[in-house]
Amino acid sequence: MLTDKIAVVTGASRGIGREVAKTLAAQGATVIVNYNGSAAKAEEVVKEIEEAGGKAEAIQCNVSEFEKAGELMAAVTEKYGRIDILVNNAGITRDSLLMKMSEEDFDAVINTNLKGAFNCMQHVARQMIKQKSGRIINMASVVGVMGNAGQVNYAASKAGVIGMTKSVAKEMASRGVTANAIAPGFIVTEMTDVLPDKIKEAMTEHIPMKRFGSTKDVANLAAFLASDAAAYITGQVICVDGGMAM
Ligand code: NAP
């Protein structure tokens, strides 16, 4: 259980983040539902959590902006007194082959997926060290482990998240703070809904379980990593991918 824990989940208005927020709240955490543009959807998540008897609050913040990420963490710490769990989930894709990839698309993906996670971790580190406890959970991807044609920017961002997670784990292990990465395979969300059926079929062929995963499959692992049961696990990259990356 996560009773009385304060959790910040970035990009929690939709997809995986939404499910993570609901799962942490169902286990007793008070959840900050961060979003960038989807205010109505974030409020919907808060409403669902409250209707189920949980506690949540939606806060807008573009995590790719260093100062804004700082303001988000400061507002949460001021109101709730602590931050126990940070789930860096906000992420975007801007796919194309290397030769066609624009500098803008490369930068946008790195700025949200990699720098966004850095920004949030940088601004909770001091608070978690002060608390002598904290859980950082970063959403990577099997693509960061295996690479993927058409996703040079995305793969770089997720491989970067993995390197960053291990480094933070080493820096903060002796201070009671763990940092782990989740590497989902193909999960049914708006991010994968946009893929053409032909591509989805080809991808499914590479998954030993022959199906995409659900947001719940990922959220269950996030809740475990956030719990006391995972106290001795840090610096790990755990794939939730139907066997794809083994
Ligand atoms: P999604 O359905 O597209 O949702 C993305 C979420 O991120 C939204 O809530 C969005 O909020 C938020 N977001 C985007 N840019 C942001 C920013 N700058 N600041 C704050 N929030 C921002 O994506 P998803 O499929 O759930 O993916 C969630 C995470 O899992 C991502 O990191 C993704 O790379 C990773 N992942 C997904 C899959 C998959 O198959 N779906 C596989 C591996 C890894 P707004 O709507 O408010 O902009």
Side-chain angles (χ1 to χ4, degrees), residues 1 15 33 48 71 90 141 144 158-159 199 203-204 228-229 232 246:
M1 289 303 283
V33 176
E48 279 179 40
E71 286 168 23
S141 166
K158 296 302 187 181
I199 303 265
M203 284 167 168
T204 307
D228 289 345
Y232 201 54
M246 68 177 143

Side-chain angles (χ1 to χ4, degrees), residues 234-245:
T234 197
Q236 301 305 303
V237 183
I238 304 174
C239 297
V240 181
D241 66 349
M244 207 173 129

Side-chain angles (χ1 to χ4, degrees), residues 11-16 34-38 61-63 89-92 112 139-141 154 158 184-187 189-192:
S13 50
R14 297 184 283 117
I16 292 171
N34 161 254
Y35 66 97
N36 185 22
S38 307
C61 171
N62 179 348
V63 295
N89 166 82
I92 58 167
T112 301
M139 214 51 79
S141 166
Y154 186 77
K158 296 302 187 181
F186 291 105
I187 306 297
T189 69
E190 286 173 30
M191 190 178 267
T192 48

Side-chain angles (χ1 to χ4, degrees), residues 1 8 30 59 62 73 89 99 115-116 134 137-138 145 157 164 173-174 187 207 210 221-222 232:
M1 289 303 283
V8 176
T30 297
I59 304 184
N62 179 348
M73 299 310 165
N89 166 82
M99 280 191 292
K115 187 165 169 254
I137 299 161
N138 292 329
V145 178
S157 73
M164 211 159 56
S174 65
I187 306 297
I207 306 170
K210 301 292 175 212
L221 176 59
Y232 201 54

Side-chain angles (χ1 to χ4, degrees), residues 16 20 24 33 45 63 84 107 117 147 155 169 177 186 210 215 220 228-229:
I16 292 171
V20 170
L24 298 184
V33 176
V45 180
V63 295
D84 299 293
D107 289 346
V177 179
F186 291 105
K210 301 292 175 212
T215 54
N220 286 338
D228 289 345

Side-chain angles (χ1 to χ4, degrees), residues 167-183:
S167 304
V168 170
K170 285 187 175 177
E171 283 186 20
M172 295 176 74
S174 65
R175 320 298 283 267
V177 179
T178 68
N180 291 288
I182 298 177

